[in-house]
Amino acid sequence: MFSTRTKNAAAWSTIESLFRQLIAFGVGVVLARQLGPETYGTIAVLYLFTGIATVFADAGFGAAIIQRRDIDDTDLSTVFWFNLTIGGAMAMCLCITSGWISKFYEMPILRPLTCLMGFNVFLSTLGSVQASRLQKNLAFKNLALINLIAMSIAGALAIGMAYRGYGVWSLATQSIAATSITVLLLWADSPWRPDFTFSRASLRKLFAFGGYLLASAILAVTYERAYTIFVGKLFGPSQLGFYDRATRIQQMPQSLIAGVVNRIAFPLFSSINDDVAALRDAARTAITSCALTATPVAFGLSATANEIIAVVFGEAWLPTVPIVQILAFVALLYPLQVVNLSLLKAQGHSHLFFRLEVIKKLVGIAFLAAGLLWGIVGLAFAQVISSITFLAINSWYTGKFMEYGFLDQAKDMALPFVMGLLMAVTVGLAGNGAGETPLASLVVKVLAGVTTWSIFLLIVYRKRLPTFASVG
C-alpha cells in the first residue's frame, strides 16, 4: 500500500519529531530550572497574539500548496509575496498594540517583548513556501536536518543568555534565532526562488482551499491559547507559568505522535483521495497505530508525573503535577483527531473542515470558560472534555464519507485503552515502596510500565506489529 518513498518520509519525519522533542526537552529543563515559572508566564501571555499573527501570515496557503497537484512557479511566487506582505503587516500590528498589551497585564516589559516577537512572525514568512515545497515532495530528510540544526543552535544561545541573567529575553532570543537559522537553511537548500510576479488568479485558486483552513486555524489558535489571557490576567504570570509548563510536558508526546501523523497522513491520504476503500484501510491502520503509541505514553505520563516533575524540573515546579496528570489524556486523543481531520482535508472538504472548527471551538470555549471557575485544574479537565467531544464530531463525518465513524474507531481503540489502564495500575502498584527518593520511584515505575506494555504488545498484537511499523 505504501511506497518506499512514503516509508522513508515517515521514517525521517519520525526521526525529526523524536530529536526535536529531545532537544526541546533538554533545553527546556535547563531553562526551566534557571528561569522559573514567572519568567515563562511572562512570555506565555503573548502566545495568543503571536499565534493569530502567524496564522494570518500563512493564510492557509501552505496547506493549499501541499494539497493541490497543479502548482506552478506563478502560484508559489504569488504565495511568497502575499505571505511576506501580511507577515510584515502583522508585525506592525503587534508593535502598535504592544502598549495596550503591556497596560492590560500591568507588565512594562511586554511592550518591547511584543515588538520583538512580532518581528519573528515576519521572519517566518520568508521560508514558508520553501518548507511547503519540501513537505509536498516528501523531502523530510532535508526538513529534519534544517529544523534540528536551528533548534540546537537557538537552544544553546538561550541557555547561555539565561545563565548570564537575561531572563525572559533568553526565551525571546531563542525564538528569533531558531526562525532566522531555519529560513537561512531553507533558502540554502531549496533551488526555488520567487519571481517578481503576482497573480490574482493564483491567489483565488489557492484561497478557495486555504481560506477555509485560515479561518479554521484562527479558531483553533484562539481556542488553544485563549487561556493565556485569562490565566495571566486572573491568576498572574506564575500560575500561567505552571499551566504553560504542564502544557509543554503534555505536548511533548502529543507533538511527537501527532506531528508525524499530520505531516505524513495528509500528503499520503491526498495521494489516494480518489479511492475510498484504500483511504478507509489507511485510516484504520493510522488510528490503531496512534492508539498503540499514544495510550502507554498518556497513562504512563499520568502515573509518573509527580516523579518526573520533582526529578527533572525541581520542587519549584511541583504545582504543575495535577495539571500534567489530567492533560496527559489530551495527548492520547489529539493524534486521533489529526487522522480524522487529515482525511477530510485530503478529500477536499475544506469548507466542511471550517464548519467543524467553528462548532468545535465554540463548544470548547464554553467548556474552558466553565473550567476557569475552578482555576487551572478546572481548565485542564475542561480540555479533556473538549478533546473527547472534538473526536466524536470529527469521526462522525469520517463515518459519513467512508464508513469508518466514531463507533468503528472506538472498537479499534478499545483494547489499547484497556491495556493502558491495566499498565497504569501495574505502574502504581510497582511504585508503592519503591524507595524514598523520587528518582528511585521513577525508575521502578518506568521499568514496570515498559515491561507490562511490551508483554501486552507481544501477546495481543504480535502478528500486526510489522504493518503498524510500516506507516510510522
Side-chain angles (χ1 to χ4, degrees):
M1 179 187 299
F2 302 103
S3 66
T4 301
R5 187 183 178 205
T6 300
K7 292 178 182 179
N8 289 337
W12 274 104
S13 185
T14 302
I15 290 171
E16 184 206 345
S17 295
L18 176 60
F19 279 94
R20 175 190 288 269
Q21 295 303 317
L22 289 175
I23 294 171
F25 179 74
V27 172
V29 167
V30 177
L31 292 176
R33 284 182 169 272
Q34 184 67 22
L35 300 176
E38 187 171 352
T39 300
Y40 272 93
T42 299
I43 199 167
V45 300
L46 298 178
Y47 287 168
L48 175 61
F49 307 109
T50 57
I52 291 177
T54 300
V55 169
F56 269 112
D58 177 73
F61 288 128
I65 290 173
I66 296 172
Q67 194 268 344
R68 294 190 67 99
R69 300 183 182 182
D70 57 338
I71 296 294
D72 56 29
D73 283 342
T74 300
D75 297 327
L76 296 176
S77 295
T78 299
V79 170
F80 177 84
W81 295 116
F82 180 86
N83 287 353
L84 194 67
T85 301
I86 300 301
M90 290 297 101
M92 290 178 62
C93 286
L94 283 173
C95 204
I96 290 171
T97 58
S98 62
W100 177 84
I101 295 173
S102 175
K103 290 180 181 178
F104 178 77
Y105 289 104
E106 300 178 351
M107 300 169 63
I109 196 174
L110 289 181
R111 187 162 193 168
L113 192 61
T114 303
C115 291
L116 184 61
M117 299 311 293
F119 178 65
N120 192 52
V121 173
F122 171 73
L123 283 178
S124 67
T125 62
L126 291 169
S128 58
V129 171
Q130 287 87 342
S132 295
R133 288 183 72 253
L134 288 177
Q135 289 187 57
K136 184 179 182 68
N137 296 326
L138 299 181
F140 289 103
K141 177 180 179 180
N142 304 56
L143 276 175
L145 295 175
I146 288 170
N147 290 329
L148 294 178
I149 290 171
M151 282 189 68
S152 300
I153 296 174
L157 180 60
I159 290 174
M161 292 184 65
Y163 273 94
R164 290 178 176 271
Y166 284 95
V168 71
W169 296 107
S170 307
L171 301 176
T173 302
Q174 182 183 19
S175 297
I176 293 288
T179 302
S180 300
I181 296 169
T182 298
V183 168
L184 288 173
L185 293 178
L186 283 170
W187 278 73
D189 176 78
S190 175
W192 179 83
R193 293 293 183 269
D195 297 324
F196 290 100
T197 58
F198 188 89
S199 169
R200 293 183 179 180
S202 293
L203 206 64
R204 285 193 297 268
K205 176 181 71 175
L206 296 175
F207 196 73
F209 177 83
Y212 286 107
L213 298 184
L214 166 63
S216 299
I218 292 172
L219 284 170
V221 169
T222 301
Y223 164 73
E224 292 169 2
R225 303 187 182 186
Y227 76 87
T228 60
I229 291 181
F230 300 107
V231 175
K233 183 64 176 178
L234 297 175
F235 307 115
S238 292
Q239 288 294 300
L240 179 55
F242 289 131
Y243 198 88
D244 176 61
R245 174 55 52 192
T247 301
R248 287 170 180 265
I249 295 172
Q250 163 243 317
Q251 287 178 345
M252 282 189 61
Q254 174 178 301
S255 298
L256 176 61
I257 301 168
V260 173
V261 173
N262 188 46
R263 297 175 70 180
I264 296 299
F266 180 41
L268 174 62
F269 292 161
S270 295
S271 69
I272 55 174
N273 59 15
D274 55 350
D275 189 339
V276 174
L279 267 177
R280 183 168 53 248
D281 290 341
R284 176 170 279 111
T285 301
I287 287 289
T288 308
S289 299
C290 285
L292 287 173
T293 306
T295 299
V297 174
F299 278 99
L301 177 59
S302 185
T304 60
N306 188 76
E307 289 82 3
I308 290 175
I309 299 299
V311 172
V312 178
F313 297 99
E315 294 184 358
W317 291 93
L318 283 177
T320 304
V321 170
I323 313 301
V324 173
Q325 291 175 324
I326 299 167
L327 291 181
F329 296 97
V330 176
L332 168 60
L333 298 170
Y334 185 75
L336 307 175
Q337 296 181 44
V338 170
V339 172
N340 283 275
L341 292 176
S342 294
L343 287 166
L344 291 178
K345 287 195 295 182
Q347 289 188 305
H349 297 299
S350 58
H351 59 292
L352 176 59
F353 187 99
F354 172 64
R355 284 202 292 263
L356 286 178
E357 290 302 302
V358 172
I359 295 171
K360 291 187 302 181
K361 276 16 178 195
L362 290 176
V363 172
I365 289 172
F367 283 137
L368 294 182
L372 281 170
L373 297 175
W374 288 272
I376 58 176
V377 173
L379 186 62
F381 274 116
Q383 285 199 266
V384 175
I385 296 171
S386 296
S387 295
I388 296 172
T389 305
F390 294 171
L391 178 60
I393 295 173
N394 292 336
S395 57
W396 189 88
Y397 282 95
T398 308
K400 178 180 179 181
F401 292 120
M402 60 190 66
E403 298 180 355
Y404 185 53
F406 182 76
L407 292 180
D408 292 323
Q409 294 181 33
K411 291 177 183 177
D412 289 334
M413 294 183 290
L415 184 55
F417 188 87
V418 172
M419 290 163 53
L421 186 60
L422 293 174
M423 185 199 75
V425 172
T426 303
V427 169
L429 293 174
N432 292 333
E436 295 183 358
T437 66
L439 179 59
S441 179
L442 179 61
V443 171
V444 171
K445 284 186 173 183
V446 170
L447 290 175
V450 171
T451 301
T452 303
W453 190 256
S454 299
I455 292 173
F456 283 154
L457 285 181
L458 290 175
I459 293 175
V460 180
Y461 286 98
R462 180 178 57 184
K463 294 182 179 180
R464 299 174 65 186
L465 287 178
T467 301
F468 298 143
S470 70
V471 293

